[in-house]
Amino acid sequence: AQTVTQSQPEMSVQEAETVTLSCTYDTSESDYYLFWYKQPPSRQMILVIRQEAYKQQNATENRFSVNFQKAAKSFSLKISDSQLGDAAMYFCAYNTDKLIFGTGTRLQVFP
Amino acid sequence: GAGVSQSPRYKVAKRGQDVALRCDPISGHVSLFWYQQALGQGPEFLTYFQNEAQLDKSGLPSDRFFAERPEGSVSTLKIQRTQQEDSAVYLCASSFPRSFFSYEQYFGPGTRLTVT
């Protein structure tokens, strides 16, 4: 069975600094997608970034980038130039036939 | 509408009551998903529709949970004889293509159900 593990329940970062959130997963599939979702207190899940497993190049979306290590089954999210609005729960998710989420990392951003 | 909407946003039910949670997906979206998110946890898959067909209901925790999407648009998640362990946020998501494998799921704001 596929599983997703986020080992950091909470992280904090100073505004304008960089922070990395960790995610590992377990699967026997060779083709799949990985996602990072952001969930602010409003509860609305917002897609931050997606990575296709067959692509070796790490995905980047503005200040957000991933470090995808397929052999190690690792998928970390790097947030550069952190902003106060980045404070939220971040969920890593794996998708083949359904979305499987990790338990989340709460990110606090201090001014 | 512009996004996925869910109603009600909050629901308080006495143990043993039946509840119905509604999801309005983005217009034209073929796929619709329901997730259950317990406090402090990530969302967990409940069920999936492609148009009106319920293709996967493996995540429904018991036969008290029932979902339908009779006309391939609006969906209702019904919970019969609610129990305290049903207290959670219920999230609905939709996506456009027939294959949900790769494409973004757009989430609604969720319904927070509290069973007292």
Side-chain angles (χ1 to χ4, degrees), chain A:
Chain A
Q2 297 95 352
T3 58
V4 177
T5 302
Q6 293 180 250
S7 59
Q8 306 155 315
E10 289 193 8
M11 291 285 284
S12 61
V13 64
Q14 208 81 27
E15 202 175 3
E17 297 295 311
T18 296
V19 64
T20 298
L21 309 184
S22 301
C23 173
T24 58
Y25 59 95
D26 189 22
T27 183
S28 57
E29 303 285 338
S30 59
D31 201 10
Y32 49 87
Y33 281 72
L34 296 163
F35 303 85
W36 278 98
Y37 278 89
K38 170 184 177 182
Q39 187 177 43
S42 67
R43 298 200 304 263
Q44 190 104 26
M45 297 283 273
I46 303 163
L47 180 66
V48 174
I49 198 165
R50 108 182 83 211
Q51 175 76 42
E52 300 162 65
Y54 64 88
K55 288 189 177 178
Q56 294 186 341
Q57 186 173 7
N58 288 325
T60 299
E61 289 286 342
N62 300 312
R63 298 183 294 107
F64 299 88
S65 61
V66 299
N67 183 4
F68 174 49
Q69 303 288 329
K70 190 173 183 179
K73 296 179 182 173
S74 169
F75 181 61
S76 61
L77 175 69
K78 184 170 84 170
I79 306 174
S80 304
D81 186 26
S82 298
Q83 301 175 358
L84 294 177
D86 295 334
M89 285 291 291
Y90 285 81
F91 291 97
C92 176
Y94 165 97
N95 192 8
T96 53
D97 60 348
K98 62 189 69 168
L99 269 177
I100 298 171
F101 289 87
T103 52
T105 297
R106 180 175 303 280
L107 178 66
Q108 294 182 304
V109 182
F110 295 103

Side-chain angles (χ1 to χ4, degrees), chain B residues 1-4 24-33 49-52 69 71-74 93-98 103-107:
Chain B
V4 179
D24 280 87
I26 293 173
S27 179
H29 275 197
V30 169
S31 303
L32 185 144
F33 306 82
F49 290 86
Q50 184 172 298
N51 294 307
E52 68 278 2
R69 194 186 185 200
E71 296 178 358
S73 55
V74 171
S94 70
S95 68
F96 174 69
R98 287 184 177 276
Y103 290 91
E104 177 180 357
Q105 293 183 22
Y106 295 81
F107 282 82

Side-chain angles (χ1 to χ4, degrees), chain B residues 5-22:
Chain B
S5 61
Q6 292 185 246
S7 60
R9 290 292 309 275
Y10 301 89
K11 177 69 179 177
V12 178
K14 287 191 186 329
R15 191 162 61 96
Q17 279 185 333
D18 297 350
V19 299
L21 312 180
R22 177 187 169 105

Side-chain angles (χ1 to χ4, degrees), chain B:
Chain B
V4 179
S5 61
Q6 292 185 246
S7 60
R9 290 292 309 275
Y10 301 89
K11 177 69 179 177
V12 178
K14 287 191 186 329
R15 191 162 61 96
Q17 279 185 333
D18 297 350
V19 299
L21 312 180
R22 177 187 169 105
C23 172
D24 280 87
I26 293 173
S27 179
H29 275 197
V30 169
S31 303
L32 185 144
F33 306 82
W34 284 98
Y35 295 87
Q36 180 189 57
Q37 186 176 19
L39 187 64
Q41 300 295 316
E44 291 193 358
F45 171 82
L46 292 177
T47 187
Y48 156 63
F49 290 86
Q50 184 172 298
N51 294 307
E52 68 278 2
Q54 189 174 18
L55 298 187
D56 187 344
K57 54 181 181 179
S58 62
L60 296 176
S62 78
D63 58 8
R64 296 185 296 104
F65 286 71
F66 172 76
E68 60 183 6
R69 194 186 185 200
E71 296 178 358
S73 55
V74 171
S75 177
T76 304
L77 176 67
K78 298 179 179 177
I79 309 173
Q80 297 177 323
R81 304 181 303 281
T82 52
Q83 304 293 317
Q84 283 194 317
E85 61 263 28
D86 300 335
S87 296
V89 173
Y90 291 85
L91 296 169
C92 176
S94 70
S95 68
F96 174 69
R98 287 184 177 276
S99 166
F100 57 86
F101 181 90
S102 61
Y103 290 91
E104 177 180 357
Q105 293 183 22
Y106 295 81
F107 282 82
T111 295
R112 182 182 295 280
L113 173 65
T114 303
V115 181
T116 61

